[in-house]
Amino acid sequence: MSDVIRVLLADDHPVVRRGLKATIEDDEHLQVIAEAADGNDALRLIEEIRPAVAILDIDMPGLNGLGVAREVTQRSLKTRIIFMTFHADEDLMRAAMDVGGKGYLLKGSETEEVCAAIHAVNAGRTYIGSTMAAVLLNQKAETAGSTSLNLKVLTLTEKKVLRLIADGLSSKEIGDELGIHYRTVENHRTNMCRKLEIEGANALARFALQHRAALHERLY
């Protein structure tokens, strides 16, 4: 079937791989084509068989998951990376995305969410698991009281852009959605960072995730 998404699994625990494979192959549009027990083997297989999506544990013998993703990015391989880990840590998630990760799931995620993540990143979107998103919100609970104040400094268009950033869309996709040039979207990003007194695209994406619910509630 030409529409089947080919997936590689990399985790040093065979039981985890077995359960994840069964979960993924419940979806007729997904197929696990290879498995690896360490990062070096995972990278070799990605380069040899070019899966559409690779699900990587972060803690693996040899080259860890972050190292695999970094090499995939540096070698311009097309495989999109989803990290699946026990680490519910914002800084680690940020590092995972910085090296080229497109998805971040916590182990124990529901079957539907694992499959949804694969479909999302295969389509070019970013996917943060709901459990991880909840952790991010809880970690930033002390800033919740300032949410309204922060969002009030943004224009309606900036709020729309920020909502779409939280949904994982790229600047080009946001431009297409709003009917504006992608460079205009980049200008909005710059202006929002200035108004919110935050630095960098990753910081803006984190802010968008933290306030995703408020953005959706106030725009609709």
Side-chain angles (χ1 to χ4, degrees), residues 39 81 161 163 165:
I81 304 296
V161 170
R163 174 181 61 79
I165 290 172

Side-chain angles (χ1 to χ4, degrees), residues 80-92:
R80 294 185 168 100
I81 304 296
I82 297 172
F83 290 101
M84 179 169 275
T85 177
F86 285 119
H87 298 295
D89 181 84
E90 180 183 358
D91 289 337
L92 186 58

Side-chain angles (χ1 to χ4, degrees), residues 48-88:
E48 286 180 2
I49 64 178
R50 308 296 173 101
V53 176
I55 299 181
L56 308 178
D57 187 12
I58 289 178
D59 300 315
M60 289 189 291
L63 196 63
N64 66 22
L66 299 181
V68 174
R70 186 179 296 109
E71 287 295 323
V72 167
T73 299
Q74 290 178 350
R75 299 182 192 189
S76 299
L77 302 175
K78 302 299 184 183
T79 300
R80 294 185 168 100
I81 304 296
I82 297 172
F83 290 101
M84 179 169 275
T85 177
F86 285 119
H87 298 295

Side-chain angles (χ1 to χ4, degrees), residues 93-141:
M93 187 197 77
R94 188 190 320 164
M97 297 315 202
D98 284 346
V99 296
K102 299 301 181 184
Y104 198 95
L105 294 172
L106 296 183
K107 288 186 176 180
S109 296
E110 295 292 335
T111 299
E112 295 80 3
E113 188 158 53
V114 174
C115 295
I118 296 171
H119 285 286
V121 301
N122 184 67
R125 298 190 298 274
T126 300
Y127 193 100
I128 306 299
S130 58
T131 307
M132 186 64 206
V135 170
L136 291 174
L137 290 173
N138 289 335
Q139 288 177 346
K140 298 299 180 180

Side-chain angles (χ1 to χ4, degrees), residues 4 44 80:
V4 169
R44 178 184 61 79
R80 294 185 168 100

Side-chain angles (χ1 to χ4, degrees), residues 1 3-5 24-31 115 119:
M1 293 175 61
D3 61 343
V4 169
I5 300 171
I24 291 169
E25 293 191 335
D26 276 344
D27 185 324
E28 63 180 2
H29 298 291
L30 306 178
Q31 180 185 12
C115 295
H119 285 286

